[in-house]
Amino acid sequence: MDVLRPPLIRIGGRVYRKNLIQEQAFPHEEEEEFYAGPGDCTDESGDAFVVEETERGFQCRVEVPSPLYKYIIGKKGETKKRLETETRTSISIPKPGVEGEIVITGQHRSGVVSARTRIDVLLDSFRKKQPFTHFLSFALNQPAIQEKFLQFKEQVLEKCSKDHGVSSSLFQNPAKLHLTLGTLVLLNEQEIQKACDLLQRCKEDFVDQITGGQPLTVEVAGVEYMNDDPTMTDVLYAKVHMKDGSDRLQMVADQLVERFVASGLMLKEWDRVKLHATVMNTLFRKDPTEERNNTMTGKSSFKERESFNGQNILKLFENFYFGEVQLDSVRLSQRFSSDASGYYATSGQL
């Protein structure tokens, strides 16, 4: 990081500088942390949140999921102490694991506002480091699709098993075949409910209008790879498109993501949603639960991935037809879970 030109972060219409601090990181966290110190906020008017006047001064409440408390407390309470000292406030944080509000109190409104804005910056930074917990999806695990997928797997292993890196452990669980629209970090029941409520509003605001209230008929056909070198493939996916040739599925996907990004529940990654269904992934190679274990501990398995040579698969199965399916609901799916059908557990759907 260039200390003379630190990156800027936008939160609630305000802009903050991201400064490097020398502080020992928590276990499993990256070494780089940042702290919004005095003068780092370009606007501390407090218009973006409520500051109440009390008999003893001023007070502001912040809704924070319990897994993020430790980032406000810091090692041995150092971050919290520094915040309180520099802003001349008192910061009350619920006990670990107990959902509640962080309460900032102080004799001066400016101090309370300063503490709140700095907490917002800290939370925004560390939330982005959390592994995603949920994702918006269309299920593609209908029996006919699963049957064709198993045929695809059998034929690939029959014809391409001698190609570098190709093995049966690379293939997706047929019961979990899906189309991902976007990922979310939802850290408590309140955030999950917020996402469910937003999903229902999306249905009323534009999904029913685009779909006419009817299921979307799509075809799953052809395979493609994610990176630019087919001899070093990590993800192979099946392509998904509307049977009638329209762009209605793309419209629903893009507008859902746009709405979730605007709400702060999702980070914007691409201009358009890439409509794809993963069929082979090197994350699955050693053990289907490997991704779960690495992600739950906050560690990336990217360096451990062994790519495979997908050239022959792409040549032989370029136009493989997986089938036709009716998409009738968008689901808020929970990562690393299963329901009675074998698909991901659903927290909500439209």
Side-chain angles (χ1 to χ4, degrees):
M1 179 188 296
D2 185 346
V3 296
L4 297 179
R5 301 183 64 184
L8 302 178
I9 299 175
R10 297 180 180 274
I11 302 177
R14 298 190 299 277
V15 181
Y16 307 95
R17 293 194 300 272
K18 179 178 178 181
N19 294 334
L20 185 67
I21 65 167
Q22 298 297 322
E23 182 175 320
Q24 183 175 346
F26 292 100
H28 307 312
E29 297 296 336
E30 298 177 20
E31 290 297 328
E32 178 185 297
E33 296 185 5
F34 79 96
Y35 174 67
D40 282 345
C41 305
T42 60
D43 174 15
E44 290 196 349
S45 64
D47 293 339
F49 43 80
V50 176
V51 178
E52 301 172 330
E53 187 169 4
T54 66
E55 294 180 357
R56 297 184 178 182
F58 296 86
Q59 176 178 278
C60 183
R61 297 176 177 273
V62 194
E63 290 188 6
V64 180
S66 59
L68 298 181
Y69 293 165
K70 62 181 180 181
Y71 302 115
I72 307 303
I73 297 170
K75 183 176 176 61
K76 296 182 179 179
E78 292 175 2
T79 301
K80 177 176 177 288
K81 291 175 185 176
R82 184 169 58 245
L83 278 167
E84 292 176 321
T85 299
E86 294 183 354
T87 61
R88 297 183 179 181
T89 59
S90 175
I91 301 172
S92 175
I93 301 176
K95 294 180 180 179
V98 178
E99 296 299 334
E101 296 178 318
I102 290 178
V103 181
I104 308 165
T105 56
Q107 294 184 351
H108 303 285
R109 187 178 190 278
S110 59
V112 173
V113 170
S114 180
R116 168 62 190 265
T117 53
R118 295 175 204 185
I119 286 174
D120 283 347
V121 173
L122 283 169
L123 294 175
D124 182 72
S125 173
F126 287 112
R127 178 179 281 276
K128 290 177 181 177
K129 295 181 181 180
Q130 306 301 310
F132 75 88
T133 60
H134 294 74
F135 58 98
L136 295 181
S137 75
F138 282 109
L140 297 175
N141 65 343
Q142 290 73 7
I145 299 291
Q146 289 196 48
E147 182 179 348
K148 292 291 289 185
F149 170 78
L150 291 173
Q151 290 178 20
F152 168 77
K153 177 180 178 179
E154 181 181 353
Q155 293 176 28
V156 167
L157 292 175
E158 179 183 330
K159 299 176 181 179
C160 306
S161 61
K162 294 183 180 180
D163 294 345
H164 175 74
V166 175
S167 72
S168 62
S169 63
L170 297 179
F171 291 84
Q172 174 67 283
N173 177 347
K176 282 183 158 56
L177 287 167
H178 67 276
L179 174 63
T180 299
L181 305 184
T183 60
L184 306 93
V185 177
L186 305 177
L187 300 177
N188 59 21
E189 289 300 321
Q190 290 85 347
E191 292 189 346
I192 293 173
Q193 187 59 52
K194 183 179 178 182
C196 291
D197 293 343
L198 179 57
L199 201 54
Q200 290 304 315
R201 290 199 299 274
C202 288
K203 181 182 190 303
E204 299 165 2
D205 291 348
F206 60 84
V207 173
D208 282 347
Q209 181 178 354
I210 294 173
T211 64
Q214 299 297 318
L216 297 176
T217 303
V218 303
E219 290 183 317
V220 184
V223 293
E224 191 55 89
Y225 61 107
M226 284 291 189
N227 52 312
D228 56 2
D229 184 357
T231 67
M232 297 291 288
T233 300
D234 279 320
V235 176
L236 190 81
Y237 63 89
K239 294 182 282 188
V240 182
H241 61 269
M242 286 291 297
K243 185 177 181 179
D244 63 10
S246 72
D247 62 350
R248 288 186 296 157
L249 176 59
Q250 187 72 56
M251 289 173 63
V252 169
D254 289 343
Q255 290 189 38
L256 277 170
V257 170
E258 182 180 340
R259 185 67 66 88
F260 271 77
V261 168
S263 74
L265 290 170
M266 187 181 290
L267 294 177
K268 186 176 179 64
E269 296 183 82
W270 317 104
D271 290 334
R272 302 183 75 205
V273 175
K274 189 175 183 66
L275 300 175
H276 72 284
T278 297
V279 293
M280 298 175 69
N281 191 330
T282 55
L283 282 177
F284 306 150
R285 179 179 298 285
K286 295 179 182 178
D287 181 344
T289 63
E290 179 176 321
E291 183 190 4
R292 175 189 305 181
N293 295 333
N294 286 332
T295 305
M296 293 298 281
T297 58
K299 296 197 179 232
S300 171
S301 59
F302 180 78
K303 293 181 181 179
E304 301 174 9
R305 298 176 76 162
E306 178 192 349
S307 301
F308 65 93
N309 187 343
Q311 279 185 309
N312 287 331
I313 298 175
L314 290 161
K315 185 184 302 181
L316 295 172
F317 300 94
E318 179 182 6
N319 298 311
F320 187 90
Y321 188 72
F322 291 89
E324 176 183 310
V325 61
Q326 304 281 322
L327 301 182
D328 58 4
S329 67
V330 178
R331 308 187 188 196
L332 178 63
S333 300
Q334 183 180 336
R335 197 179 186 188
F336 307 132
S337 66
S338 297
D339 61 15
S341 73
Y343 192 68
Y344 300 93
T346 300
S347 298
Q349 68 183 59
L350 63 78

